[in-house]
Amino acid sequence: MSQTFIIDGKTVPFEEGQTIIQAATKAGVFIPHLCYHPDFKPHGSCKLCTVKVNGRQTASCTMRAMAGMVVESDTEEINAERRALTQMLFVEGNHFCPSCEQSGNCQLQATAYHLGMMSPHYDHFFPNRPVDASHPEVLLDFNRCILCSLCVRASRDVDGKNVFALSGRGITTHLIVNAKSGQLADTNFTLDDKAAHVCPVGVILRKRKGFAVPIGERTYDKQPISGTVDAVTEGH
Amino acid sequence: MNAPTKKLKVATTSLAGCFGCHMSFLDIDERLFTLLDYIEFDRSPLTDIKHCSPDCDIGIIEGGLCNAENVHVLREFRKNCKVLIAIGACAINGGLPAQRNHLPLTTILEEVYHTSPGLANGMIPNDPELPLPLDKVHPIHEVVKIDYFIPGCPPSGDAIWKVLTDLLAGREPELGHGLMHYD
């Protein structure tokens, strides 16, 4: 017999070793997240998946489920904090949705919709982040990077190439390309890489395909991100 | 909703915007007639009234702040309107005009008026009537308090209608899936 815990009043079964978000997802309970992806080891950095476990906040992508724990997720208090985190992600980068190829397929945008984010609230940083268009098949637009590290993990753990890395500390942390020139064209990155398909926002973009599916007919135009608990994989 | 005895005064303006949000406002189509049972327009491109009455109820602002005049107009709206609504991407995060923000203003003016191919004897406009551009384009909530936001580029007529009717009915405006768009 499997063990259970309670999330927002619902009893959820889990197997030994599963994290809260894994068990919740399997049971059809959506927990907002950006740096978590079911195919990779959790990073625990975006904090969007924060829940309250027995009254204390923790990241549900790193916390193992335990029998009898009481988890709060979809509450006004926690969603307000998630919304504030999302607003900070928006003002720290340059997120101009109307001119972004990923609009409608973007998990950051869809999460903001889900959380009812009507404005960015904070003052914008408007950072200067030049794009890397050197690669023949892929464009890197760093303006939208939220430092989820999914491309870093995919390239390192799946592709075995280590094409990407996070460099710097604190507010100066940024995504870099591991090449002497710093250019994607000078790596062995290809479109077949797992890393080419995990970006939850619009940084890693396949060239010449940006508007193959028109705005208004994209993944999260059709259904909210909460509509599919397997949203991470369905977004691509 | 029953028609009120006193109509609400609504003022609108476009700052560093493209009037697309105003066009989308007109996309509420025949619902404009219903709306006019509840509101009257004050300062707006629709009336050509040049300044806000001191007793406006709702101010609707399209566009961000790219020059000094935008800031003056925004402050006039804040002073004279009880409720300010930011409408559209540019008012909310600067939008397309703010994509110049990573470049120094001097570089932009130099390129546009001096070094672009095909320019002869170009000069940077300096007529005193022209408002001075700001160093960076700013969303309007960075300068005055904004009460409500309608995101979208532009927001659909349905989204605008939803927020306005929510407000007129005394409800907290809410855009669900399908009406909530940043693009």
Side-chain angles (χ1 to χ4, degrees):
Chain A
M1 212 180 84
S2 69
Q3 310 179 82
T4 63
F5 65 95
I6 295 183
I7 181 163
D8 294 336
K10 184 178 171 174
T11 303
V12 169
F14 69 96
E15 287 157 28
E16 200 60 42
Q18 265 185 333
T19 57
I20 295 173
I21 203 170
Q22 283 173 329
T25 302
K26 207 168 174 199
V29 176
F30 173 74
I31 299 176
H33 56 270
L34 290 169
C35 73
Y36 167 74
H37 188 295
D39 295 353
F40 301 101
K41 266 175 70 175
H43 195 238
S45 60
C46 81
K47 302 298 176 198
L48 259 285
C49 75
T50 295
V51 293
K52 264 192 181 177
V53 177
N54 299 335
R56 297 174 75 114
Q57 290 194 351
T58 184
S60 65
C61 70
T62 53
M63 181 78 172
R64 293 242 162 103
M66 284 188 289
M69 59 171 36
V70 178
V71 181
E72 296 166 65
S73 174
D74 192 14
T75 65
E76 187 40 53
E77 180 195 343
I78 294 174
N79 282 332
E81 298 204 18
R82 289 172 178 154
R83 193 156 51 241
L85 288 172
T86 310
Q87 287 168 322
M88 290 183 213
L89 289 174
F90 267 85
V91 300
E92 281 172 20
N94 291 312
H95 298 277
F96 296 108
C97 297
S99 50
C100 177
E101 291 175 43
Q102 195 69 356
S103 191
N105 289 331
C106 170
Q107 286 174 37
L108 176 67
Q109 183 192 60
T111 302
Y113 291 172
H114 171 76
L115 296 168
M117 189 189 110
M118 302 297 274
S119 83
H121 181 78
Y122 302 105
D123 284 7
H124 285 69
F125 288 26
F126 295 122
N128 182 14
R129 300 191 193 159
V131 302
D132 177 351
S134 63
H135 196 279
E137 292 178 307
V138 171
L139 169 74
L140 297 181
D141 190 334
F142 297 105
N143 289 292
R144 302 151 185 167
C145 184
I146 56 170
L147 308 174
C148 70
S149 88
L150 277 169
C151 58
V152 178
R153 284 176 275 166
S155 187
R156 183 190 61 210
D157 303 340
V158 180
D159 307 326
K161 292 185 179 177
N162 263 322
V163 169
F164 299 102
L166 293 183
S167 179
R169 280 180 179 275
I171 197 62
T172 64
T173 310
H174 59 288
L175 183 66
I176 56 162
V177 171
N178 279 331
K180 215 167 193 178
S181 64
Q183 300 270 290
L184 192 63
D186 296 326
T187 68
N188 54 351
F189 183 82
T190 73
L191 256 187
D192 300 325
D193 288 5
K194 178 77 171 168
H197 305 281
V198 291
C199 182
V201 291
V203 179
I204 304 176
L205 298 165
R206 186 174 174 185
K207 288 184 176 177
R208 297 174 288 278
K209 287 283 178 196
F211 294 95
V213 178
I215 299 261
E217 294 174 25
R218 299 179 171 189
T219 309
Y220 305 118
D221 292 329
K222 292 179 183 159
Q223 61 177 340
I225 195 165
S226 59
T228 161
V229 284
D230 200 16
V232 171
T233 43
E234 291 213 11
H236 295 276
Chain B
M1 288 189 292
N2 295 318
T5 46
K6 181 181 169 291
K7 290 185 178 181
L8 296 179
K9 272 191 193 172
V10 175
T12 79
T13 190
S14 179
L15 305 175
C18 70
F19 279 90
C21 295
H22 274 79
M23 297 306 289
S24 204
F25 182 29
L26 297 180
D27 279 343
I28 68 174
D29 297 328
E30 70 272 20
R31 288 172 289 187
L32 266 174
F33 293 111
T34 315
L35 192 62
L36 286 173
D37 288 338
Y38 297 88
I39 69 151
E40 59 182 320
F41 284 106
D42 194 76
R43 172 180 178 161
S44 167
L46 306 173
T47 58
D48 211 23
I49 295 171
K50 304 297 184 197
H51 289 284
C52 293
S53 307
D55 57 344
C56 285
D57 295 288
I58 297 175
I60 301 176
I61 318 269
E62 169 188 340
L65 304 161
C66 78
N67 64 38
E69 194 237 357
N70 294 155
V71 180
H72 285 294
V73 174
L74 178 63
R75 289 196 166 134
E76 176 180 318
F77 269 70
R78 182 66 278 181
K79 197 174 164 208
N80 295 294
C81 303
K82 294 190 187 82
V83 167
L84 272 198
I85 304 175
I87 186 172
C90 302
I92 290 173
N93 73 358
L96 187 123
Q99 294 190 44
R100 74 157 156 93
N101 281 356
H102 65 282
L103 300 167
L105 186 58
T106 335
T107 313
I108 299 169
L109 291 172
E110 281 289 328
E111 178 160 349
V112 170
Y113 293 104
H114 281 150
T115 60
S116 278
L119 287 181
N121 302 319
M123 87 174 230
I124 295 172
N126 61 358
D127 190 300
E129 289 236 332
L130 291 174
L132 288 171
L134 302 180
D135 182 41
K136 283 188 193 311
V137 177
H138 290 278
I140 61 177
H141 74 268
E142 292 185 8
V143 173
V144 299
K145 161 104 169 85
I146 301 298
D147 302 288
Y148 297 102
F149 300 82
I150 316 178
C153 185
S156 65
D158 288 340
I160 297 168
W161 175 250
K162 177 72 167 58
V163 170
L164 291 180
T165 50
D166 278 352
L167 277 179
L168 290 173
R171 289 186 297 263
E172 192 66 17
E174 199 173 311
L175 297 176
H177 182 255
L179 289 181
M180 179 85 140
H181 272 287
Y182 299 162
D183 57 14

